[in-house]
Amino acid sequence: MLGALAMVSLREWKQRKLRLILTILGIALGVAAFFAVITANLTLVESLKATVEKLVGKATLQITSGETGFPQKFLEIAKSTEGVRLAEPVIETIAQTGNNQNLFVIGLDTASDLELHSDVVPEQNISIANPLAFIDKPDSIAVSRTFADNNDLKEGDSLELFVQETKKKFTVRGFFKPEGAAEIFGGNVAVIDIYAAQEIFGRGSLIDRIDILTAENASIDDVKARLRKLLPNGIDISSPSTRGEGLENSVSSVNLGMTIMSFMALTIGVFLIFNSFYISVNQRSKEIGILRALGASGKQTQAMFLGEAVILGLVGSVIGVGAGYFLAIAAVKIMESVAATSYGMVTSSQMPPFRLDYMIAAILIGLLSSMVAAWIPARDASRLDPIAALHNIETRNKESLISHTRIFAGIFSIMLGLALSAFSVPKMGSMIPLFYWIFAILGMILLLPKMISISAVLLRPLMNRLFGIEGVIAVDTMARAPRRTSATVGALMMGLAFVFANGALIKSQKAAIVRTLERSVNVDFFVTTSDQIRSRTYHFSEETSAKIAAIKGAKRVENLRVTSVNYKGSDVALLAEDMNGWIERSPELLLRGNASAVKREMAAGEGFFVSENFARKYEMAVGDLMTVESPTGAITRKILGILEYHQSENGTIFIERELYKKFWIDNYVDYILIRLDPATDRSEFKASLEKTISKEQQAFIYSQEEYQNWVTSLIDQFFTLNYLQMVIAIVVAGLGLINTMVISVAERKREIGVLRAIGGLKGQIRKMILLESVSISIVGIITGSIAGLLQAYCTINISIIVITGFTLPFKFPFALLGLSIPVVIIVALISAWVPASRAANLEIAEAIEYE
C-alpha cells in the first residue's frame, strides 16, 4: 500500500510542478540564509584566529597589554625566566600609503636571526641585498612581493607612509613571499626593525607584545605561572589560541544576533510549506477518501504526506546549502569590513570553509522545518473520513479555526510575551529571554483566522466602492478559505514582522547613538585619526593637539584616547579624557550619580564612570569599588557615575586622562574635540585646521553633524546582513503569495467556469484574482505591522539588553511601513498576474467539468 501511495505522490508532483518548485524554493531560501550566516560567522572567527596564529610564528606564549603596549624592560624579565628559550619583541601598526592603501607594518628585532618568527618572514623567502644597511638605516623596510608588485616597487625605491607625527619616507631594501603573516591584510604587509618602529611611530620604549618560545622540556603552564609572578597583573600572559578566543568573544554578540535572525528567516519558510501541504490535502481530499475506502489506514495516509515533506525538505535543504555557501562568500566580506570598521580588527581574508557538520545541521533543520509545517495537514489527511471527503474541507474546518478557545489562547500568548518583556529583569548572558517574542508571534498566529475575518468585514465595503462586484468576490473568496489564507497571510505576516522588527532595531540603535553623540560630542569640530570607529594602531600626538589649540578661534581643545582593557576576561572599552571638560559638555549622559557633586573627584582621578551596559553586565552600582589592571599596576577606585553610552557591547570605562597617562604610559590621542569662540567663522577655521594638519599626517575632520552622519552610515554597514535577510524574508513571503494564487485558481476552476458561463468577462476574472491577492497582501500588511510592533518591543526591551546590555529608545520604522504598502501590493499583483491570466483564459466547458 505504501508503494501505491508513493505513486500517488509522484503523480501529484508531476501535475503540480509550479507548486512543487515554489515549496522547494521556500525551504531552500530559509536554509540558505541559516547556512550562510553560521558559515560566515565561523569564517570571521577563524580569520581572526588565523591572523593571530600567522603573526605569532612559532611562539607558544605571548605577553600583551591591550592596545597600548608596555615598557620594553619586561623583555629582559621574560628572557631570564626559567623555561623560556626565546623571547622577542614585536610592534604592529597600520600605516597609510600616499595612494590611500593600508599597509600592515610589523616591527621585529631584525638584528636577531628571527628564529622565532621564521614562519612570519621565512628566511628562505626573504630577499635583502644588503642586510647591514637594512639594520643600520632606520628608514629600511621590507615589503611582501604582493604589495611590491601591486605598487611597482623595486629595491631602493622610496615608499611614503603616514606615521604618528608626519609623513615618512622609507627605502625598500627587502622583499618576502606572501606566506605566513604576509598572507594577512590582502598581502599588504611590511617589516621594519623594531627600534626604528619605536622611533618612527612615536612608541618611545614601549612594545606591543613579546612572543615566547618555551624550551622543549619545559611545561608551558609552569612557564606561564613563573611569568605571572614576575609581571604586573595588567600584563596578560596567554597562549596564541587563547588570544584568538578573546577576539572571537569580541564579535560574539554579532554572531548570536545574526544566527537568531536566520532562524526567524527559516520560520517564514515554514508557513509557505504549511500552505503547500494544506492545499495539497484540500485538493486531494476526494482522492484520499477513495484511498481510505480501498484500505489505506490513517497512519499510511499521514506517512504519505510526511514522506513528501521529507523528500521536499531534503531537496530544498541541499539546494539551500549550495546557495548558502555562495551567499556566505558575500557575507564574509561584509562581516570582515564590519570587524575592521567597528572593532579595528585585522583579519586574514579567506574563503569560507564548507563544514560537513554545518551542512548536516542545515539539512536537518530544513527537514525538521518541513516536517513541522506538514504535520498538521498530514494529521488532517489521516483523520479524513471517506464520506466527508466529498465535502469542502474549508467548510468543515471554518468554525474550529475561529473558536473562542483559540482566540483566548492567542490573546493570552500575546499578553504573556509583552508582560515578560516589560516586567522581567533581564540578565546579560541568559538565553531564555531572547525568545520571549515567540509568545507574541505565536499569539498572532493563533489569532490570524479571526483577524482575517475581521479584515474581510472591513475590506468588503471598501473594495465594493473602489472595484465593484469583483472586489466583493475577491474579499469573500479570501475569507471563505481560512486555512489557506491563514497560511499565506502568516508567511507574509512573518516576513513583514521580521522586516519591521529589524527596521525598529536599526532605527532605535541609530537614535541611541545619535543621542549619545549629541550629548557627548557636542563640539564644533571633531578630528579623528581613522575612517573607522576605532583605530588600534594609528593615533595623534599631544603636539598635534597643541598646534590645533593655537589656531585662531579655538576656544577649547580636548584630547580623547579610546582604547581597551581586559576586565574579567572581556575586552572592555576604555575612554580617557579631561573629565572636567567632559562633564561640562555631557552632564545629561549621567543616568545615576550627580554630575556636579562628582566633578572634582573625577577630574582628580579619584573614580570611574562606567556605561550602563557595563554596570548591568558586572552587576555594579554607584559607590562600588572597582579594580582595573594597567601595565604598571592595579587601579582601584569608586564608581562615581553610570552613563548612557553606546560604544562597546562589553561596556565602557571612563577615566581621567592624566591618571590614564600615568598608569598606561601613553599620551596618544585618538580624537581631538574642538570648541570655537562664538564669533569665529567656521569655514575659515576649518580651512586653517586642514592647512595645519593635512600636510603632516592622516586626519579626518568632521563637524558634529557630519560626524553623526558618518557614524550612522557605519551603522548601516554594520546591519548590511540584516538588510539582506530582510530581502530574503520578503522573497519567501512573495513565494507564498504566488503559491496561494496558483492554488486558488486551480481550486476554483468550476466557479470561474460558472462565472464565465453567466456572462463574466475575461477582464473581470483577471481583476477578481488580482484583487484577491491584493486583499491578502493588505491583511498581511496589517497583521505584519502588529506582529512587527510586538516583536520589536520584545526584542528592544529584552533581547538587546540580554545580548549587549544597552537600553535603546523604542523607535518604530513608520517610514518603512509606509514604503512597504505599495511594495507589497505590487509584489501581490506581480505574484497573481500569471494565475489571473490563466484563470481568464480557461475554457468554459473544461472549467465546468473540473472535478
Side-chain angles (χ1 to χ4, degrees):
M1 181 59 72
L2 288 176
L5 293 175
M7 294 301 294
V8 171
S9 296
L10 288 172
R11 189 186 67 181
E12 174 71 13
W13 292 345
K14 288 180 181 179
Q15 292 178 345
R16 317 287 183 187
K17 291 185 180 69
L18 180 57
R19 191 179 70 205
L20 178 69
I21 293 171
L22 293 173
T23 304
I24 291 174
L25 276 177
I27 301 168
L29 282 172
V31 171
F34 172 75
F35 185 79
V37 168
I38 61 174
T39 301
N41 285 345
L42 171 71
T43 306
L44 176 61
V45 170
E46 292 301 318
S47 177
L48 293 171
K49 289 182 178 179
T51 301
V52 173
E53 292 171 359
K54 289 175 180 178
L55 289 173
V56 299
K58 298 177 181 177
T60 52
L61 284 174
Q62 284 187 311
I63 298 175
T64 58
S65 183
E67 302 167 21
T68 59
F70 52 89
Q72 190 171 332
K73 65 182 181 180
F74 296 135
L75 176 62
E76 296 305 318
I77 295 175
K79 287 182 175 179
S80 62
T81 300
E82 181 184 351
V84 173
R85 182 185 163 209
L86 287 173
E88 295 186 1
V90 180
I91 284 179
E92 300 169 1
T93 192
I94 297 176
Q96 192 175 58
T97 67
N99 58 354
N100 295 321
Q101 289 188 74
N102 286 328
L103 181 66
F104 190 75
V105 182
I106 308 172
L108 299 175
D109 186 1
T110 55
S112 70
D113 58 9
L114 294 179
E115 177 186 352
L116 186 55
H117 295 106
S118 61
D119 290 340
V120 178
V121 186
E123 185 177 351
Q124 67 274 19
N125 291 339
I126 191 167
S127 173
I128 299 177
N130 191 338
L132 289 178
F134 188 91
I135 296 171
D136 290 340
K137 297 185 178 181
D139 68 337
S140 299
I141 190 168
V143 298
S144 72
R145 287 289 182 187
T146 301
F147 182 78
D149 292 342
N150 291 340
N151 293 273
D152 195 25
L153 292 173
K154 302 180 295 297
E155 185 177 345
D157 285 354
S158 293
L159 175 62
E160 190 174 64
L161 299 177
F162 282 102
V163 295
Q164 288 302 122
E165 302 298 332
T166 184
K167 290 181 181 178
K168 174 70 176 178
K169 282 189 176 181
F170 291 84
T171 302
V172 179
R173 293 194 171 93
F175 304 92
F176 49 90
K177 292 182 180 179
E179 299 178 7
E183 294 177 330
I184 70 172
F185 223 55
N188 285 6
V189 182
V191 172
I192 63 175
D193 184 74
I194 190 166
Y195 299 105
Q198 287 177 320
E199 177 184 347
I200 292 168
F201 298 122
R203 304 303 302 274
S205 62
L206 298 180
I207 55 179
D208 288 330
R209 72 172 197 264
I210 299 172
D211 290 344
I212 293 174
L213 178 63
T214 52
E216 292 182 4
N217 60 348
S219 165
I220 294 177
D221 290 338
D222 290 344
V223 174
K224 182 178 178 180
R226 295 188 193 107
L227 288 168
R228 181 72 283 155
K229 291 180 181 179
L230 298 171
L231 298 173
N233 288 334
I235 303 295
D236 183 58
I237 308 158
S238 59
S239 65
S241 61
T242 303
R243 190 179 174 206
E245 291 171 2
L247 293 177
E248 177 183 354
N249 292 336
S250 297
V251 295
S252 59
S253 66
V254 179
N255 295 343
L256 177 60
M258 295 305 301
T259 302
I260 290 174
M261 290 174 188
S262 296
F263 275 110
M264 292 167 63
L266 192 63
T267 303
I268 300 167
V270 170
F271 281 87
L272 189 148
I273 302 165
F274 172 84
N275 193 17
S276 295
F277 278 96
Y278 172 74
I279 297 304
S280 180
V281 172
N282 188 14
Q283 288 183 322
R284 296 153 65 182
S285 60
K286 293 181 175 61
E287 185 179 85
I288 293 168
I290 294 171
L291 289 172
R292 292 294 307 280
L294 292 174
S297 67
K299 289 184 178 180
Q300 288 174 325
T301 305
Q302 186 175 20
M304 177 182 71
F305 283 98
L306 293 179
E308 289 183 19
V310 169
I311 295 172
L312 296 181
L314 182 61
V315 173
S317 297
V318 170
I319 294 172
V321 167
Y325 180 77
F326 290 101
L327 188 60
I329 295 174
V332 166
K333 295 184 182 299
I334 294 170
M335 294 180 75
E336 286 181 346
S337 176
V338 168
T341 302
S342 300
Y343 300 98
M345 293 178 176
V346 177
T347 60
S348 301
S349 295
Q350 53 186 266
M351 287 293 289
F354 192 90
R355 288 275 296 264
L356 182 62
D357 55 341
Y358 282 11
M359 180 192 75
I360 294 173
I363 290 175
L364 288 176
I365 288 173
L367 285 173
L368 180 62
S369 300
S370 300
M371 294 285 287
V372 169
W375 181 261
I376 293 178
R379 184 200 61 187
D380 288 352
S382 70
R383 296 176 177 177
L384 190 60
D385 184 86
I387 298 176
L390 297 175
H391 299 284
N392 191 315
I393 195 170
E394 292 292 347
T395 305
R396 297 196 310 272
N397 288 285
K398 185 174 182 180
E399 289 303 319
S400 63
L401 286 180
I402 316 180
S403 66
H404 293 298
T405 302
R406 180 172 183 146
I407 294 172
F408 173 79
I411 295 173
F412 175 79
S413 186
I414 291 173
M415 297 304 294
L416 177 61
L418 292 176
L420 288 171
S421 299
F423 301 113
S424 62
V425 179
K427 184 176 181 181
M428 292 185 67
S430 175
M431 295 296 292
I432 295 177
L434 295 178
F435 301 99
Y436 286 166
W437 61 270
I438 290 178
F439 291 106
I441 298 300
L442 178 60
M444 286 295 299
I445 293 170
L446 291 172
L447 291 176
L448 269 180
K450 185 62 177 177
M451 297 184 76
I452 291 170
S453 176
I454 294 172
S455 299
V457 172
L458 297 175
L459 279 174
R460 199 174 191 276
L462 177 63
M463 297 294 277
N464 184 32
R465 179 182 294 271
L466 294 176
F467 304 108
I469 189 62
E470 295 94 337
V472 173
I473 294 174
V475 173
D476 289 346
T477 303
M478 174 192 73
R480 194 170 64 238
R483 284 207 174 188
R484 185 190 69 215
T485 305
S486 293
T488 308
V489 171
L492 191 55
M493 178 191 77
M494 289 294 293
L496 290 173
F498 182 82
V499 170
F500 296 147
N502 273 278
L505 173 61
I506 294 169
K507 187 173 182 179
S508 298
Q509 182 79 16
K510 284 184 178 179
I513 291 178
V514 167
R515 188 167 67 183
T516 297
L517 291 176
E518 287 175 346
R519 296 177 178 181
S520 63
V521 192
N522 47 347
V523 293
D524 294 292
F525 286 103
F526 195 83
V527 185
T528 177
T529 59
S530 173
D531 57 354
Q532 302 172 354
I533 292 179
R534 284 187 64 188
S535 172
R536 293 174 179 256
T537 58
Y538 189 82
H539 317 284
F540 293 132
S541 67
E542 290 185 333
E543 287 75 13
T544 298
S545 179
K547 291 179 182 179
I548 293 174
I551 299 174
K552 183 180 178 181
K555 179 180 180 181
R556 184 183 181 108
V557 174
E558 298 176 26
N559 298 326
L560 173 61
R561 177 74 166 101
V562 180
T563 182
S564 63
V565 63
N566 186 288
Y567 187 83
K568 295 185 178 181
S570 295
D571 193 32
V572 175
L574 183 68
L575 269 64
E577 192 180 358
D578 172 8
M579 296 309 298
N580 199 0
W582 194 90
I583 292 173
E584 285 183 10
R585 288 188 294 102
S586 314
E588 293 179 342
L589 283 178
L590 204 61
L591 295 175
R592 290 183 286 281
N594 187 303
S596 58
V598 300
K599 183 177 180 181
R600 187 202 63 79
E601 293 176 274
M602 279 299 298
E606 297 175 4
F608 299 118
F609 282 160
V610 298
S611 63
E612 181 187 20
N613 66 323
F614 179 93
R616 181 175 280 121
K617 180 175 182 178
Y618 297 104
E619 299 180 348
M620 306 191 80
V622 173
D624 289 352
L625 286 176
M626 183 175 75
T627 299
V628 177
E629 300 290 349
S630 79
T632 59
I635 311 173
T636 300
R637 299 287 190 276
K638 289 191 302 183
I639 294 178
L640 298 176
I642 296 175
L643 305 173
E644 177 190 359
Y645 196 83
H646 299 83
Q647 164 134 353
S648 169
E649 62 200 38
N650 289 328
T652 306
I653 301 171
F654 297 78
I655 186 173
E656 169 60 35
R657 180 170 169 82
E658 293 303 317
L659 182 67
Y660 170 81
K661 289 164 61 176
K662 175 183 175 182
F663 279 87
W664 271 264
I665 319 174
D666 171 21
N667 62 357
Y668 287 149
V669 179
D670 292 305
Y671 300 94
I672 301 174
L673 288 73
I674 307 166
R675 281 189 282 178
L676 304 180
D677 289 322
T680 302
D681 183 279
R682 291 168 60 92
S683 299
E684 290 181 3
F685 182 86
K686 185 174 183 180
S688 299
L689 178 60
E690 290 173 343
K691 184 177 180 181
T692 300
I693 62 176
S694 61
K695 293 183 180 180
E696 295 189 357
Q697 58 192 124
Q698 175 179 270
F700 298 85
I701 303 170
Y702 302 97
S703 66
Q704 184 175 4
E705 297 79 12
E706 291 170 340
Y707 185 70
Q708 288 179 9
N709 293 335
W710 173 65
V711 171
T712 52
S713 70
L714 293 180
I715 297 172
D716 286 329
Q717 180 184 343
F718 184 87
F719 284 108
T720 301
L721 280 180
N722 295 64
Y723 294 133
L724 180 60
Q725 288 181 312
M726 289 159 69
V727 171
I728 291 176
I730 291 298
V731 170
V732 174
L735 290 177
L737 270 174
I738 298 172
N739 201 21
T740 294
M741 299 320 300
V742 168
I743 292 168
S744 177
V745 170
E747 274 192 316
R748 297 160 55 203
K749 279 187 177 180
R750 178 178 293 176
E751 176 187 327
I752 293 170
V754 171
L755 289 173
R756 290 291 312 282
I758 61 175
L761 301 176
K762 288 185 177 182
Q764 291 178 308
I765 300 299
R766 182 182 290 110
K767 182 179 177 182
M768 181 180 68
I769 302 298
L770 291 174
L771 289 176
E772 181 185 350
S773 182
V774 169
S775 299
I776 292 174
S777 70
I778 291 173
V779 179
I781 292 169
I782 295 170
T783 56
S785 303
I786 298 171
L789 181 66
L790 295 172
Q791 184 177 331
Y793 178 83
C794 297
T795 300
I796 292 171
N797 280 276
I798 286 291
S799 299
I800 294 301
I801 296 175
V802 168
I803 295 174
T804 66
F806 293 138
T807 300
L808 303 180
F810 184 82
K811 300 289 184 180
F812 192 76
F814 289 103
L816 184 61
L817 172 59
L819 177 64
S820 70
I821 294 173
V823 170
V824 172
I825 290 176
I826 290 171
V827 169
L829 290 171
I830 294 172
S831 301
W833 182 259
V834 173
S837 298
R838 286 183 178 178
N841 293 319
L842 280 174
E843 293 293 334
I844 297 176
E846 177 189 344
I848 293 176
E849 290 177 358
Y850 182 68
E851 296 186 346

